[in-house]
Amino acid sequence: MSVRTRFAPSPTGYLHIGGVRTALFNWLFARRHGGRFILRIDDTDRERNVEAALRPILDGFRWLGIDWDEGPEVGGPYAPYYQSQRTERYRAAVRELLDRGLAYRDYATTDETTAEREAAQREKRRFIYSRRWMAETDADAARFEGEGRTAVVRLKMPRESACRFEDAVRGPVAFDWALEQDHVIQRADGSHLYHLASAVDDHDFAISHVIRAEEHLSNTPRQIFIADGFGYELPRYAHLPYVAAPGGSEKLSKRKLGKYLTQVDFKKVFDHGAEIMASLGREVVPETFNPVLVEFYREVGYRPDALVNYLLLLGWSLDDRTEDFTRDEMVEHFSLQRVNRSAASFDPQKMMAFEERRMNALPVDRKVEAVSPYLVRLGLLGAEPTAAERARIEAVAVAAGDRIKVAGDIVRYAEFFQDDAGFPYDEKAFRKRIGAPDAADRLRRFRPVLETVEPFDAATLDAALQRFVEAEGIRIGQIIHALRVAVTGKGVGFGLFEALEILGRAACLARIDRALAAVDAGPGAD
RNA sequence: GUCCCCAUCGUCCAGAGGCCUAGGAUCCAGCCCUUUCAAGGCUGAGACACGGGUUCGAAUCCCGUUGGGGACGCCA
C-alpha cells in the first residue's frame, strides 16, 4: 500500500504553530515511506477570499520547506483539492447514505434541538437526538414540509455496541456508539459539513494515514461510520497530542497572546521580535505578529530549520539525547511509534536555543544572505549590494558572531552602515562613558594614535591602545568604553577593535570628532 | 454535566520490572574567561502527583483518588 498523508488547513489567513507540527508529522511520515503528502483545503464553511486567506498558509509551508505533492497550485490526479469545489461529490454521497438508510432527513428546528440539548444537560446525560422529526419516508417528509419545516440530513448512528479502532499513537480506542450524536452532514441550505467531506475526501484522495491532532479523536467514530457505510477501507488513524500553551496545559491558541505575554519566557521572545520590528519601523499587530504563528518567526528572521527541528521534538523523540536533526535525518528516523501521548507545551525559549545553534552553524555567506534584507528594509542597502557592501556585511556578521541570533538582529549593528554624521547615540551610554570626567580628554589624546597607526586593523589597534593606556597610566576601561560609544553610539557591541577596523580610519576619526564636538556643545546636545 | 484522553525536573524529552543513589536538553544560580554585550568552560539547584495492590524487586504492570486536558455545533 502506498503511503498518502494529508494536512487539511481551513483558509483562516494564518499558519498556527500547532498546525505546522501536525503538517510536519504528516510530511515526515510520507517522506519516510516514499509516499505523497497532500494539502487539502477545508473551505466548506467560507465562500470568499479563500485565495487571500490561503496565501499566508501556503507561503508559510514553503518557507518551512514543507512541500506538498498534491493540492493547491500544484494540482494532482485527484483535483480539485478544495472542498468548496467538490459539492457535487458530497451531494451524491449524502444521497447514497440516505438510500442505504444510514442517514435521514431531519425536520427539527434549531430551537427544538436546542431544547433537547438543554434538557439532556439538565438531566446530566449526554444529548442524543430523539429523532422526533426524523423523516424516513417521503410521506413523513411531505407532512413536515407541510408544516413549513425544512430538512437537514443527519447520520443515523448505531445505538448499540462500540466503535473500536487501533490508533497508531494511542493504541486501541473504543467509543460507545450509543453515546454518539446523529451528526448533521448536510445543512438546510444544502451545503455540507466537515465530517462528511472529510471522510469522503480521505477515501477519494486515497489517504492511507490520517495523522491529525488529538481533538479529532472523538470525531473519529462518526467518520468511521460514514466510511464503513460506503464500504471504504479505513485509513490508519494517528492522533497527535495537541500543542499546549507556554507554561500551561490548555491548547495553544492564537487568541490568548495577552495571557502568554504574562509569562516571562514567552514575553522575552516576543519582545526581542518586537524590538526588531520597531527598528524597522514596522507596526506590530497581534493578528500576525504573534509567536503562536509562523509569520512571527519569518518576519523576525528565524531559520525555518530551527522552527521545524524544535517542532519535531514537541511530542516526538529519537532517543534520550539527539536533538539536532538535518531534514534528511528527520525523514530517516521519523516514526509514529515514538510519538508521545501527552500534550507538550510550547516553550519559546527552547525554540530560541535551536535558533541560536542553527544560526551559529550557518556559513558566513548564508548569514550575509539572511541578514541583508533587513538592511535593505532599513534603507541602508540597495536591492543589489556592491561587493564592498557585501564585504562589510560579512565583516560585521563575523565580528558579531553569535550575537546575531535571528537574522533581524543585524538591525542592532545599523551604525556600521549609517552615515558618520547621522548614526544615533545612545544618550544614556553617551552621558555615562563620554560624559565621564576626563573621558573626552583621553579620547582627544588618543585621536592622533588613530591617525597614524598602520595598518589599521584590529590587532594593531589593540596593541596601539595598550601602549596608549600604559603611557597614560590608566586602566583600559577608562578609555575603551568612551571610544566604543564615540564610534558606534552604543555602550555594548562586539569587539571594539574589530569595530574600528570595519569602520576604517576616516570614519573613526570623523565619529570621534563628532562626539567631542557634542561634548563641547554641552549636555543635551546631539 | 456526559464521554474520552493524559500524568517523570519550571519546560521539552529518555526510561517499555532490576542497567535509576532517574539520563539529556532548555531555563535558572554561582564561579572562570573578559573592554561592554554575547558566547564558551566548570559547578550547582531542580522530577517519578497521591494511595492501594501485583512482584523477590515498580518511574515502569493493575485498581482507585487527585489534578490537568480534549470532545460534546446546521465550526473546521
Side-chain angles (χ1 to χ4, degrees):
Chain A
M1 178 185 66
S2 69
V3 167
R4 292 173 59 84
T5 64
R6 47 74 161 178
F7 181 70
S10 54
T12 51
Y14 57 85
L15 187 52
H16 190 278
I17 285 288
V20 171
R21 207 272 310 258
T22 302
L24 174 66
F25 283 23
N26 274 282
W27 182 86
L28 285 171
F29 189 76
R31 293 287 171 266
R32 169 77 184 84
H33 297 281
R36 314 257 289 171
F37 173 62
I38 292 113
L39 222 47
R40 180 184 84 205
I41 308 307
D42 282 13
D43 56 349
T44 53
D45 196 35
R46 31 208 116 212
E47 287 305 320
R48 263 162 255 314
N49 291 327
V50 168
E51 285 307 320
L54 205 51
R55 178 88 283 129
I57 296 170
L58 300 184
D59 287 350
F61 279 134
R62 287 216 174 86
W63 178 68
L64 291 164
I66 296 174
D67 57 336
W68 55 101
D69 304 302
E70 296 170 30
E73 295 181 359
V74 302
Y78 300 94
Y81 293 89
Y82 291 80
Q83 292 191 326
S84 59
Q85 293 170 28
R86 298 173 49 78
T87 51
E88 269 319 306
R89 172 69 177 102
Y90 304 141
R91 205 178 309 285
V94 169
R95 217 174 295 128
E96 196 174 338
L97 249 13
L98 246 12
D99 289 346
R100 295 186 183 206
L102 298 170
Y104 59 88
R105 284 165 289 175
D106 178 52
Y107 285 89
T109 63
T110 317
D111 287 347
E112 284 157 353
T113 47
T114 304
E116 285 198 3
R117 188 172 286 119
E118 284 168 358
Q121 183 75 257
R122 273 195 305 278
E123 290 161 33
K124 301 185 178 184
R125 55 179 175 80
R126 170 165 269 224
F127 163 58
I128 300 296
Y129 175 49
S130 67
R131 294 181 183 166
R132 248 183 88 182
W133 293 275
M134 167 173 76
E136 286 194 296
T137 64
D138 289 341
D140 287 339
R143 183 164 52 85
F144 286 131
E145 274 163 29
E147 295 172 17
R149 293 168 180 271
T150 50
V152 298
V153 177
R154 284 182 186 274
L155 250 19
K156 193 174 183 188
M157 300 293 275
R159 294 271 163 103
E160 56 189 18
S161 153
C163 173
R164 295 174 196 285
F165 61 98
E166 183 77 14
D167 189 281
V169 171
R170 330 203 73 90
V173 185
F175 289 91
D176 203 342
W177 278 126
L179 263 15
E180 286 294 315
Q181 189 51 250
D182 282 356
H183 304 280
V184 173
I185 52 173
Q186 187 174 90
R187 298 187 184 91
D189 68 3
S191 62
H192 303 95
L193 262 30
Y194 169 74
H195 299 294
L196 187 265
S198 192
V200 167
D201 289 345
D202 283 341
H203 168 262
D204 286 5
F205 295 164
I207 300 304
S208 65
H209 296 257
V210 171
I211 303 168
R212 55 172 29 160
E214 187 192 4
E215 65 239 44
H216 289 283
L217 184 60
S218 51
N219 302 159
T220 308
R222 73 193 74 158
Q223 293 179 10
I224 287 180
F225 176 79
I226 294 170
D228 276 348
F230 289 120
Y232 296 158
E233 194 190 330
L234 291 180
R236 186 113 161 88
Y237 292 99
H239 288 91
L240 272 22
Y242 58 89
V243 175
S249 51
E250 77 261 27
K251 208 165 68 174
L252 182 68
S253 157
K254 158 187 187 278
R255 291 164 199 246
K256 293 185 179 155
L257 178 62
K259 184 178 173 187
Y260 304 157
L261 287 177
T262 62
Q263 231 242 350
V264 279
D265 291 350
F266 189 90
K267 189 170 189 309
K268 224 179 266 181
V269 168
F270 176 85
D271 287 346
H272 174 208
E275 196 189 309
I276 291 169
M277 287 298 108
S279 300
L280 294 172
R282 295 278 295 271
E283 197 190 342
V284 164
V285 288
E287 271 312 299
T288 53
F289 195 76
N290 178 338
V292 172
L293 309 179
V294 168
E295 196 71 1
F296 174 91
Y297 302 94
R298 191 157 60 136
E299 291 258 344
V300 174
Y302 280 69
R303 300 295 83 210
D305 277 335
L307 225 200
V308 167
N309 199 150
Y310 172 67
L311 257 15
L312 171 69
L313 265 7
L314 212 50
W316 181 89
S317 66
L318 175 63
D319 53 32
D320 64 338
R321 55 201 62 226
T322 315
E323 291 219 321
D324 292 323
F325 292 83
T326 63
R327 205 56 75 99
D328 285 346
E329 288 166 343
M330 291 181 197
V331 170
E332 182 190 342
H333 295 296
F334 185 77
S335 74
L336 255 17
Q337 286 77 41
R338 291 202 61 88
V339 173
N340 239 98
R341 264 180 299 277
S342 50
S345 91
F346 179 69
D347 180 356
Q349 284 263 59
K350 181 135 188 177
M351 156 81 231
M352 183 53 107
F354 279 90
E355 169 61 20
E356 287 187 39
R357 263 178 277 164
R358 292 283 169 162
M359 190 55 98
N360 265 331
L362 208 62
V364 227
D365 55 323
R366 299 267 320 274
K367 214 180 251 192
V368 170
E369 201 177 295
V371 128
S372 295
Y374 291 88
L375 295 172
V376 173
R377 280 201 244 168
L378 279 174
L380 299 174
L381 192 67
E384 295 287 327
T386 63
E389 285 171 328
R390 275 193 70 91
R392 174 162 288 209
I393 298 167
E394 185 172 322
V396 171
V398 169
D402 48 39
R403 291 167 186 82
I404 294 178
K405 301 186 190 308
V406 302
D409 281 333
I410 193 70
V411 302
R412 293 180 175 166
Y413 305 100
E415 64 275 12
F416 288 94
F417 306 92
Q418 287 166 322
D419 202 72
D420 296 335
F423 75 92
Y425 289 117
D426 176 327
E427 278 185 49
K428 230 175 118 184
F430 193 94
R431 249 180 286 125
K432 182 175 176 194
R433 299 305 191 183
I434 298 185
D438 305 326
D441 284 339
R442 284 191 205 106
L443 266 185
R444 206 166 270 124
R445 284 200 296 281
F446 183 63
R447 192 184 182 287
V449 176
L450 285 179
E451 268 181 294
T452 55
V453 67
E454 197 64 52
F456 200 84
D457 64 27
T460 314
L461 287 160
D462 191 344
L465 186 73
Q466 291 300 342
R467 279 196 303 277
F468 176 80
V469 161
E470 279 166 36
E472 292 269 317
I474 56 172
R475 280 171 292 110
I476 195 161
Q478 290 174 283
I479 171 114
I480 204 161
H481 301 296
L483 196 49
R484 177 189 299 283
V485 175
V487 300
T488 68
K490 291 171 185 159
V492 298
F494 52 73
L496 177 66
F497 304 109
E498 283 77 12
L500 295 173
E501 180 183 334
I502 291 168
L503 285 166
R505 194 192 310 272
C508 288
L509 293 174
R511 290 178 177 209
I512 287 170
D513 290 342
R514 180 179 158 207
L516 291 174
V519 173
D520 293 340
D526 205 323

